[in-house]
mmCIF file of all heavy atoms in Angstrom:
data_model
loop_
_atom_site.group_PDB
_atom_site.id
_atom_site.type_symbol
_atom_site.label_atom_id
_atom_site.label_comp_id
_atom_site.label_asym_id
_atom_site.label_seq_id
_atom_site.Cartn_x
_atom_site.Cartn_y
_atom_site.Cartn_z
ATOM 1 N N PRO A 27 10.947 -6.571 -13.051
ATOM 2 C CA PRO A 27 10.769 -6.946 -11.633
ATOM 3 C C PRO A 27 9.908 -5.951 -10.869
ATOM 4 O O PRO A 27 9.131 -6.352 -9.994
ATOM 5 C CB PRO A 27 12.206 -6.978 -11.099
ATOM 6 C CG PRO A 27 13.040 -7.308 -12.292
ATOM 7 C CD PRO A 27 12.372 -6.585 -13.434
ATOM 8 N N ILE A 28 10.033 -4.661 -11.161
ATOM 9 C CA ILE A 28 9.201 -3.665 -10.489
ATOM 10 C C ILE A 28 7.737 -3.866 -10.869
ATOM 11 O O ILE A 28 6.847 -3.805 -10.020
ATOM 12 C CB ILE A 28 9.668 -2.241 -10.837
ATOM 13 C CG1 ILE A 28 10.986 -1.937 -10.113
ATOM 14 C CG2 ILE A 28 8.608 -1.210 -10.485
ATOM 15 C CD1 ILE A 28 11.530 -0.554 -10.389
ATOM 16 N N VAL A 29 7.493 -4.115 -12.140
ATOM 17 C CA VAL A 29 6.130 -4.366 -12.592
ATOM 18 C C VAL A 29 5.551 -5.576 -11.871
ATOM 19 O O VAL A 29 4.413 -5.560 -11.392
ATOM 20 C CB VAL A 29 6.091 -4.578 -14.119
ATOM 21 C CG1 VAL A 29 4.711 -5.056 -14.555
ATOM 22 C CG2 VAL A 29 6.461 -3.299 -14.845
ATOM 23 N N GLN A 30 6.335 -6.637 -11.783
ATOM 24 C CA GLN A 30 5.853 -7.846 -11.126
ATOM 25 C C GLN A 30 5.573 -7.608 -9.652
ATOM 26 O O GLN A 30 4.590 -8.122 -9.101
ATOM 27 C CB GLN A 30 6.869 -8.979 -11.293
ATOM 28 C CG GLN A 30 6.309 -10.346 -10.913
ATOM 29 C CD GLN A 30 5.060 -10.687 -11.718
ATOM 30 O OE1 GLN A 30 5.058 -10.662 -12.937
ATOM 31 N NE2 GLN A 30 3.965 -10.980 -11.021
ATOM 32 N N ARG A 31 6.421 -6.804 -9.005
ATOM 33 C CA ARG A 31 6.177 -6.502 -7.593
ATOM 34 C C ARG A 31 4.879 -5.719 -7.420
ATOM 35 O O ARG A 31 4.134 -5.939 -6.456
ATOM 36 C CB ARG A 31 7.352 -5.718 -7.003
ATOM 37 C CG ARG A 31 8.593 -6.562 -6.764
ATOM 38 C CD ARG A 31 9.506 -5.937 -5.731
ATOM 39 N NE ARG A 31 10.086 -4.684 -6.171
ATOM 40 C CZ ARG A 31 11.206 -4.571 -6.881
ATOM 41 N NH1 ARG A 31 11.860 -5.665 -7.258
ATOM 42 N NH2 ARG A 31 11.673 -3.391 -7.229
ATOM 43 N N ILE A 32 4.607 -4.812 -8.352
ATOM 44 C CA ILE A 32 3.348 -4.050 -8.283
ATOM 45 C C ILE A 32 2.155 -4.993 -8.434
ATOM 46 O O ILE A 32 1.195 -4.945 -7.655
ATOM 47 C CB ILE A 32 3.313 -2.961 -9.371
ATOM 48 C CG1 ILE A 32 4.364 -1.877 -9.072
ATOM 49 C CG2 ILE A 32 1.922 -2.335 -9.457
ATOM 50 C CD1 ILE A 32 4.519 -0.855 -10.188
ATOM 51 N N LEU A 33 2.203 -5.880 -9.427
ATOM 52 C CA LEU A 33 1.092 -6.814 -9.648
ATOM 53 C C LEU A 33 0.953 -7.790 -8.492
ATOM 54 O O LEU A 33 -0.167 -8.161 -8.107
ATOM 55 C CB LEU A 33 1.287 -7.555 -10.965
ATOM 56 C CG LEU A 33 1.189 -6.702 -12.240
ATOM 57 C CD1 LEU A 33 1.511 -7.535 -13.470
ATOM 58 C CD2 LEU A 33 -0.188 -6.066 -12.373
ATOM 59 N N ASP A 34 2.073 -8.205 -7.912
ATOM 60 C CA ASP A 34 2.009 -9.120 -6.772
ATOM 61 C C ASP A 34 1.314 -8.480 -5.573
ATOM 62 O O ASP A 34 0.647 -9.159 -4.791
ATOM 63 C CB ASP A 34 3.420 -9.564 -6.368
ATOM 64 C CG ASP A 34 4.035 -10.533 -7.372
ATOM 65 O OD1 ASP A 34 3.285 -11.085 -8.199
ATOM 66 O OD2 ASP A 34 5.266 -10.724 -7.341
ATOM 67 N N GLN A 35 1.488 -7.173 -5.428
ATOM 68 C CA GLN A 35 0.893 -6.469 -4.292
ATOM 69 C C GLN A 35 -0.627 -6.482 -4.333
ATOM 70 O O GLN A 35 -1.287 -6.334 -3.299
ATOM 71 C CB GLN A 35 1.391 -5.017 -4.243
ATOM 72 C CG GLN A 35 2.829 -4.862 -3.796
ATOM 73 C CD GLN A 35 3.023 -5.220 -2.337
ATOM 74 O OE1 GLN A 35 2.303 -4.749 -1.479
ATOM 75 N NE2 GLN A 35 3.991 -6.074 -2.062
ATOM 76 N N VAL A 36 -1.212 -6.627 -5.519
ATOM 77 C CA VAL A 36 -2.670 -6.659 -5.628
ATOM 78 C C VAL A 36 -3.174 -8.062 -5.925
ATOM 79 O O VAL A 36 -4.310 -8.244 -6.365
ATOM 80 C CB VAL A 36 -3.178 -5.659 -6.700
ATOM 81 C CG1 VAL A 36 -2.862 -4.244 -6.276
ATOM 82 C CG2 VAL A 36 -2.582 -5.960 -8.066
ATOM 83 N N GLY A 37 -2.328 -9.056 -5.693
ATOM 84 C CA GLY A 37 -2.771 -10.437 -5.859
ATOM 85 C C GLY A 37 -3.841 -10.815 -4.854
ATOM 86 O O GLY A 37 -4.708 -11.648 -5.123
ATOM 87 N N ASP A 38 -3.781 -10.204 -3.655
ATOM 88 C CA ASP A 38 -4.797 -10.394 -2.622
ATOM 89 C C ASP A 38 -5.588 -9.097 -2.457
ATOM 90 O O ASP A 38 -5.093 -8.014 -2.787
ATOM 91 C CB ASP A 38 -4.139 -10.766 -1.290
ATOM 92 C CG ASP A 38 -3.404 -12.101 -1.369
ATOM 93 O OD1 ASP A 38 -3.949 -13.030 -1.997
ATOM 94 O OD2 ASP A 38 -2.298 -12.202 -0.804
ATOM 95 N N PRO A 39 -6.808 -9.190 -1.946
ATOM 96 C CA PRO A 39 -7.596 -7.967 -1.734
ATOM 97 C C PRO A 39 -6.867 -6.971 -0.834
ATOM 98 O O PRO A 39 -6.111 -7.347 0.062
ATOM 99 C CB PRO A 39 -8.877 -8.492 -1.067
ATOM 100 C CG PRO A 39 -8.983 -9.918 -1.516
ATOM 101 C CD PRO A 39 -7.572 -10.414 -1.605
ATOM 102 N N ILE A 40 -7.111 -5.689 -1.071
ATOM 103 C CA ILE A 40 -6.526 -4.617 -0.264
ATOM 104 C C ILE A 40 -7.538 -4.204 0.798
ATOM 105 O O ILE A 40 -8.702 -3.941 0.491
ATOM 106 C CB ILE A 40 -6.147 -3.412 -1.141
ATOM 107 C CG1 ILE A 40 -5.031 -3.813 -2.121
ATOM 108 C CG2 ILE A 40 -5.695 -2.233 -0.295
ATOM 109 C CD1 ILE A 40 -4.624 -2.694 -3.064
ATOM 110 N N GLY A 41 -7.082 -4.159 2.036
ATOM 111 C CA GLY A 41 -7.960 -3.774 3.125
ATOM 112 C C GLY A 41 -8.086 -2.265 3.240
ATOM 113 O O GLY A 41 -7.080 -1.565 3.372
ATOM 114 N N VAL A 42 -9.318 -1.762 3.165
ATOM 115 C CA VAL A 42 -9.576 -0.322 3.286
ATOM 116 C C VAL A 42 -10.797 -0.120 4.180
ATOM 117 O O VAL A 42 -11.900 -0.545 3.816
ATOM 118 C CB VAL A 42 -9.826 0.333 1.911
ATOM 119 C CG1 VAL A 42 -10.111 1.816 2.068
ATOM 120 C CG2 VAL A 42 -8.644 0.125 0.978
ATOM 121 N N ALA A 43 -10.593 0.495 5.337
ATOM 122 C CA ALA A 43 -11.694 0.841 6.259
ATOM 123 C C ALA A 43 -12.599 -0.350 6.529
ATOM 124 O O ALA A 43 -13.834 -0.233 6.531
ATOM 125 C CB ALA A 43 -12.505 2.010 5.693
ATOM 126 N N GLY A 44 -11.994 -1.499 6.773
ATOM 127 C CA GLY A 44 -12.773 -2.681 7.091
ATOM 128 C C GLY A 44 -13.298 -3.447 5.898
ATOM 129 O O GLY A 44 -13.946 -4.485 6.059
ATOM 130 N N HIS A 45 -13.041 -2.957 4.691
ATOM 131 C CA HIS A 45 -13.475 -3.635 3.468
ATOM 132 C C HIS A 45 -12.275 -4.304 2.792
ATOM 133 O O HIS A 45 -11.193 -3.724 2.737
ATOM 134 C CB HIS A 45 -14.118 -2.652 2.491
ATOM 135 C CG HIS A 45 -15.308 -1.936 3.034
ATOM 136 N ND1 HIS A 45 -16.549 -2.505 3.131
ATOM 137 C CD2 HIS A 45 -15.433 -0.667 3.524
ATOM 138 C CE1 HIS A 45 -17.397 -1.635 3.655
ATOM 139 N NE2 HIS A 45 -16.743 -0.508 3.900
ATOM 140 N N ALA A 46 -12.480 -5.504 2.287
ATOM 141 C CA ALA A 46 -11.452 -6.183 1.485
ATOM 142 C C ALA A 46 -11.826 -6.001 0.019
ATOM 143 O O ALA A 46 -12.822 -6.571 -0.452
ATOM 144 C CB ALA A 46 -11.371 -7.659 1.843
ATOM 145 N N ILE A 47 -11.047 -5.202 -0.700
ATOM 146 C CA ILE A 47 -11.401 -4.826 -2.069
ATOM 147 C C ILE A 47 -10.465 -5.506 -3.066
ATOM 148 O O ILE A 47 -9.240 -5.363 -2.989
ATOM 149 C CB ILE A 47 -11.337 -3.294 -2.239
ATOM 150 C CG1 ILE A 47 -12.283 -2.610 -1.246
ATOM 151 C CG2 ILE A 47 -11.691 -2.900 -3.667
ATOM 152 C CD1 ILE A 47 -12.232 -1.099 -1.302
ATOM 153 N N ASP A 48 -11.064 -6.252 -3.994
ATOM 154 C CA ASP A 48 -10.284 -6.848 -5.080
ATOM 155 C C ASP A 48 -9.877 -5.745 -6.052
ATOM 156 O O ASP A 48 -10.725 -4.993 -6.540
ATOM 157 C CB ASP A 48 -11.099 -7.903 -5.830
ATOM 158 C CG ASP A 48 -11.274 -9.180 -5.018
ATOM 159 O OD1 ASP A 48 -10.301 -9.618 -4.397
ATOM 160 O OD2 ASP A 48 -12.389 -9.720 -5.014
ATOM 161 N N VAL A 49 -8.596 -5.662 -6.329
ATOM 162 C CA VAL A 49 -8.080 -4.609 -7.196
ATOM 163 C C VAL A 49 -7.409 -5.232 -8.415
ATOM 164 O O VAL A 49 -6.627 -6.184 -8.291
ATOM 165 C CB VAL A 49 -7.062 -3.716 -6.454
ATOM 166 C CG1 VAL A 49 -6.449 -2.687 -7.407
ATOM 167 C CG2 VAL A 49 -7.742 -3.010 -5.284
ATOM 168 N N THR A 50 -7.736 -4.715 -9.578
ATOM 169 C CA THR A 50 -7.089 -5.123 -10.820
ATOM 170 C C THR A 50 -6.290 -3.941 -11.352
ATOM 171 O O THR A 50 -6.809 -2.828 -11.435
ATOM 172 C CB THR A 50 -8.133 -5.542 -11.871
ATOM 173 O OG1 THR A 50 -8.907 -6.624 -11.364
ATOM 174 C CG2 THR A 50 -7.450 -5.985 -13.158
ATOM 175 N N LEU A 51 -5.026 -4.176 -11.683
ATOM 176 C CA LEU A 51 -4.185 -3.133 -12.261
ATOM 177 C C LEU A 51 -3.781 -3.519 -13.674
ATOM 178 O O LEU A 51 -3.517 -4.692 -13.964
ATOM 179 C CB LEU A 51 -2.919 -2.921 -11.416
ATOM 180 C CG LEU A 51 -3.104 -2.432 -9.983
ATOM 181 C CD1 LEU A 51 -1.741 -2.230 -9.317
ATOM 182 C CD2 LEU A 51 -3.905 -1.141 -9.930
ATOM 183 N N TRP A 52 -3.721 -2.509 -14.547
ATOM 184 C CA TRP A 52 -3.227 -2.690 -15.915
ATOM 185 C C TRP A 52 -2.061 -1.719 -16.095
ATOM 186 O O TRP A 52 -2.182 -0.533 -15.774
ATOM 187 C CB TRP A 52 -4.321 -2.388 -16.935
ATOM 188 C CG TRP A 52 -5.622 -3.071 -16.632
ATOM 189 C CD1 TRP A 52 -6.707 -2.538 -16.017
ATOM 190 C CD2 TRP A 52 -5.957 -4.428 -16.922
ATOM 191 N NE1 TRP A 52 -7.712 -3.466 -15.912
ATOM 192 C CE2 TRP A 52 -7.280 -4.635 -16.452
ATOM 193 C CE3 TRP A 52 -5.274 -5.482 -17.528
ATOM 194 C CZ2 TRP A 52 -7.943 -5.849 -16.570
ATOM 195 C CZ3 TRP A 52 -5.940 -6.691 -17.646
ATOM 196 C CH2 TRP A 52 -7.249 -6.867 -17.183
ATOM 197 N N ILE A 53 -0.945 -2.220 -16.613
ATOM 198 C CA ILE A 53 0.269 -1.404 -16.697
ATOM 199 C C ILE A 53 0.773 -1.358 -18.138
ATOM 200 O O ILE A 53 0.969 -2.400 -18.769
ATOM 201 C CB ILE A 53 1.379 -1.949 -15.783
ATOM 202 C CG1 ILE A 53 0.853 -2.079 -14.336
ATOM 203 C CG2 ILE A 53 2.606 -1.043 -15.819
ATOM 204 C CD1 ILE A 53 1.849 -2.702 -13.383
ATOM 205 N N GLY A 54 0.962 -0.132 -18.645
ATOM 206 C CA GLY A 54 1.531 0.056 -19.977
ATOM 207 C C GLY A 54 2.834 0.820 -19.882
ATOM 208 O O GLY A 54 2.950 1.776 -19.098
ATOM 209 N N GLU A 55 3.832 0.414 -20.670
ATOM 210 C CA GLU A 55 5.159 1.033 -20.628
ATOM 211 C C GLU A 55 5.533 1.596 -21.993
ATOM 212 O O GLU A 55 5.261 0.988 -23.031
ATOM 213 C CB GLU A 55 6.219 0.007 -20.212
ATOM 214 C CG GLU A 55 7.643 0.556 -20.239
ATOM 215 C CD GLU A 55 8.713 -0.520 -20.048
ATOM 216 O OE1 GLU A 55 8.360 -1.713 -19.998
ATOM 217 O OE2 GLU A 55 9.907 -0.167 -19.957
ATOM 218 N N ALA A 56 6.159 2.763 -21.994
ATOM 219 C CA ALA A 56 6.788 3.325 -23.191
ATOM 220 C C ALA A 56 8.187 3.782 -22.817
ATOM 221 O O ALA A 56 8.425 4.231 -21.681
ATOM 222 C CB ALA A 56 5.977 4.486 -23.752
ATOM 223 N N CYS A 57 9.127 3.667 -23.757
ATOM 224 C CA CYS A 57 10.542 3.924 -23.462
ATOM 225 C C CYS A 57 11.094 5.065 -24.321
ATOM 226 O O CYS A 57 10.786 5.168 -25.510
ATOM 227 C CB CYS A 57 11.364 2.660 -23.709
ATOM 228 S SG CYS A 57 10.843 1.241 -22.728
ATOM 229 N N PHE A 58 11.908 5.885 -23.684
ATOM 230 C CA PHE A 58 12.673 6.915 -24.393
ATOM 231 C C PHE A 58 14.083 6.384 -24.614
ATOM 232 O O PHE A 58 14.699 5.844 -23.698
ATOM 233 C CB PHE A 58 12.748 8.196 -23.550
ATOM 234 C CG PHE A 58 13.727 9.208 -24.080
ATOM 235 C CD1 PHE A 58 13.339 10.117 -25.047
ATOM 236 C CD2 PHE A 58 15.053 9.232 -23.636
ATOM 237 C CE1 PHE A 58 14.248 11.044 -25.553
ATOM 238 C CE2 PHE A 58 15.962 10.144 -24.132
ATOM 239 C CZ PHE A 58 15.554 11.057 -25.092
ATOM 240 N N PRO A 59 14.620 6.495 -25.836
ATOM 241 C CA PRO A 59 14.064 7.181 -27.007
ATOM 242 C C PRO A 59 13.350 6.266 -27.995
ATOM 243 O O PRO A 59 12.917 6.733 -29.048
ATOM 244 C CB PRO A 59 15.321 7.777 -27.645
ATOM 245 C CG PRO A 59 16.371 6.736 -27.376
ATOM 246 C CD PRO A 59 16.045 6.157 -26.018
ATOM 247 N N GLU A 60 13.247 4.956 -27.690
ATOM 248 C CA GLU A 60 12.730 4.007 -28.670
ATOM 249 C C GLU A 60 11.315 4.342 -29.142
ATOM 250 O O GLU A 60 10.991 4.175 -30.330
ATOM 251 C CB GLU A 60 12.728 2.587 -28.089
ATOM 252 C CG GLU A 60 14.113 1.992 -27.857
ATOM 253 C CD GLU A 60 14.651 2.320 -26.480
ATOM 254 O OE1 GLU A 60 14.063 3.175 -25.780
ATOM 255 O OE2 GLU A 60 15.668 1.725 -26.100
ATOM 256 N N HIS A 61 10.474 4.824 -28.241
ATOM 257 C CA HIS A 61 9.057 5.002 -28.574
ATOM 258 C C HIS A 61 8.637 6.457 -28.721
ATOM 259 O O HIS A 61 7.453 6.732 -28.976
ATOM 260 C CB HIS A 61 8.191 4.327 -27.505
ATOM 261 C CG HIS A 61 8.448 2.871 -27.371
ATOM 262 N ND1 HIS A 61 8.421 2.197 -26.161
ATOM 263 C CD2 HIS A 61 8.767 1.937 -28.302
ATOM 264 C CE1 HIS A 61 8.685 0.927 -26.350
ATOM 265 N NE2 HIS A 61 8.901 0.738 -27.644
ATOM 266 N N GLY A 62 9.557 7.380 -28.585
ATOM 267 C CA GLY A 62 9.207 8.788 -28.722
ATOM 268 C C GLY A 62 10.182 9.674 -27.987
ATOM 269 O O GLY A 62 10.966 9.206 -27.148
#
C-alpha cells in the first residue's frame, strides 16, 4: 500500500516553480533477512 501511494502521487504532473513536470518513479524492494 505504501508503494502504491507513492506511485499514485506521481500519476499527475508535479508542479514546480510554474512548471508541470511528468515524473516517473521506479521502486525496488529487498527484505531482511530473506534477501541478505
